[in-house]
Amino acid sequence: MAESQVAYPYDPAGIAALRASISAPRFGPYMSMAGRDERYALALYLYNARLAKSFLYPLHMAEVTLRNAIVDALATEFGPDWPSDGAFRAMLTAGGTATLDKARERVTADKGPNFPVSQLVATLTFDFWSNLFRPHYYLPFWQRHLRTVLPHLPAGEGRHEAQARVREVNRFRNRIAHHEPILKADATTTHKGILDLVATRCPTTSAWLKHHSTLHAIIRGRPRNAGASGQAVGEVCDPAFAPVAAGDSLASALAAFPPGALAFVVHDDAGRPTLALRPDDVLRFVAARAAELGGMIDLNVHAMADVASGVPPRSCAMHDRDDPLHRAAATLRKDSVRLVLVTETRATGVAAKGVLLRAHRRY
């Protein structure tokens, strides 16, 4: 799906025709995301399609790599004609047996009764292979074959963790297959999950996949409202922050603060980002408490919420990732604002995207 270099000539009649073709229920989420701006909603609809397309190759490689690995293990366990083996069929759930039989019927109708097993493998869906990781199959199969199917699964991970990896990739694949909006998904994290799954089988294949993936080029082309100008704040914010909960002790928060991080991002009990704090905010709090106590302070007694309560309420401003950068720069020029917390809306809710500090970069 190529992106035209020439602006499409929208007019009211054309927009009405496109909306009718797409349908009101399907176009509704895009209208909501676009603030009822029809042209912007259509741009988001096109971007969603391009984003979905960019995932087809990673998902293709994940599915082919995984199913071929499982097929090798099934052939070792049940023989080359494993789909017909009684022990294998007895291992399946009723749903798995039904899926296998339907696939066999489709291949038989197309190729006749004497088809190679590879034809059946190509017909079975990712759901079938994903479902094989369910607990039902643990004792008879995965205890013997998990590490041959996924030899690079991290130490300490077992069938349960492998199932979680495969299930998330399969769920995302199904969303794309059903043409659902994926704009609110964390595309970068999802892409990494696909790469990591492939790497549990073959790191070389994962590296090759990463090299040829077009996802990041597509992400850089995300449209913004025509009313915005210049860069979006999400394009320049710094992702070097440490997520913490309000109830985390200072000891645990400081221990989790990685080298190079610029700020703490405090989350409420629901996991929503509420405030960004600079390391010197914590330092000032510790120094003040130590002075009150004659030089001694127990970092396990005080929480990040205590630090936040002593910070001027307007010292941290919040901007959405799609807000124009010039607007965030204007916010940082206010005397009371020392940093900006940049957020983005994902399928799971609002999440922290990054931070902008007045001192660390020129805008």
Side-chain angles (χ1 to χ4, degrees), residues 136-158:
H136 174 83
Y137 301 101
Y138 179 57
L139 288 174
F141 185 72
W142 289 117
Q143 279 186 325
R144 292 190 289 275
H145 295 286
L146 182 62
R147 289 289 165 176
T148 59
V149 171
L150 304 175
H152 301 284
L153 193 67
E157 291 194 16

Side-chain angles (χ1 to χ4, degrees), residues 6-256:
V6 179
Y8 186 83
Y10 289 115
D11 57 40
I15 291 175
L18 289 169
R19 292 189 63 170
S21 294
I22 296 170
S23 83
R26 184 171 292 277
F27 196 56
Y30 299 94
M31 285 292 286
S32 296
M33 285 184 275
R36 315 310 297 176
D37 182 326
E38 291 178 312
R39 294 179 183 233
Y40 184 31
L42 287 167
L44 291 176
Y45 191 88
L46 286 169
Y47 173 72
N48 188 79
R50 294 188 179 102
L51 187 63
K53 179 185 176 183
S54 73
F55 271 106
L56 293 181
Y57 161 61
L59 289 168
H60 156 81
M61 286 306 305
E63 181 170 352
V64 169
T65 300
L66 183 68
R67 80 184 186 194
N68 287 343
I70 296 174
V71 165
D72 287 345
L74 291 174
T76 298
E77 182 80 7
F78 303 107
D81 191 23
W82 54 268
S84 301
D85 183 81
F88 169 69
R89 293 180 63 84
M91 184 182 82
L92 295 176
T93 62
T97 302
T99 298
L100 182 66
D101 290 343
K102 287 180 181 177
R104 184 187 296 275
E105 289 173 6
R106 286 195 295 270
V107 179
T108 300
D110 185 40
K111 303 292 183 181
N114 299 317
F115 56 83
V117 170
S118 59
Q119 291 285 343
L120 183 62
V121 169
T123 304
L124 288 165
T125 66
F126 198 14
D127 284 336
F128 178 82
W129 306 109
S130 176
N131 288 338
L132 288 181
F133 283 88
R134 289 178 175 178
H136 174 83
Y137 301 101
Y138 179 57
L139 288 174
F141 185 72
W142 289 117
Q143 279 186 325
R144 292 190 289 275
H145 295 286
L146 182 62
R147 289 289 165 176
T148 59
V149 171
L150 304 175
H152 301 284
L153 193 67
E157 291 194 16
R159 181 213 55 81
H160 176 76
E161 290 77 14
Q163 182 194 16
R165 290 174 179 270
V166 177
R167 183 176 59 236
E168 288 306 308
V169 172
N170 186 41
R171 284 176 176 172
F172 187 74
R173 175 201 175 279
N174 288 342
R175 290 183 63 191
I176 288 179
H178 295 134
H179 313 301
E180 296 179 13
I182 58 171
L183 292 176
K184 292 185 178 181
D186 185 343
T188 301
T189 300
T190 300
H191 187 255
K192 183 179 183 300
I194 296 171
L195 293 173
D196 290 346
L197 174 61
V198 174
T200 62
R201 172 62 180 180
C202 178
T204 299
T205 302
S206 180
W208 181 73
L209 164 56
K210 180 179 180 180
H211 180 83
H212 292 286
S213 175
T214 61
L215 174 74
H216 294 294
I218 297 299
I219 290 176
R220 288 195 293 271
R222 182 187 176 107
R224 293 190 297 116
N225 195 318
S229 61
Q231 287 181 299
V233 67
E235 297 175 48
V236 298
C237 68
D238 203 314
F241 63 85
V244 295
D248 286 351
S249 69
L250 296 190
S252 63
L254 290 170

Side-chain angles (χ1 to χ4, degrees), residues 284-297 302:
R284 277 194 297 272
F285 176 84
V286 170
R289 296 292 84 73
E292 292 173 0
L293 299 171
M296 299 291 292
I297 179 173
H302 301 281

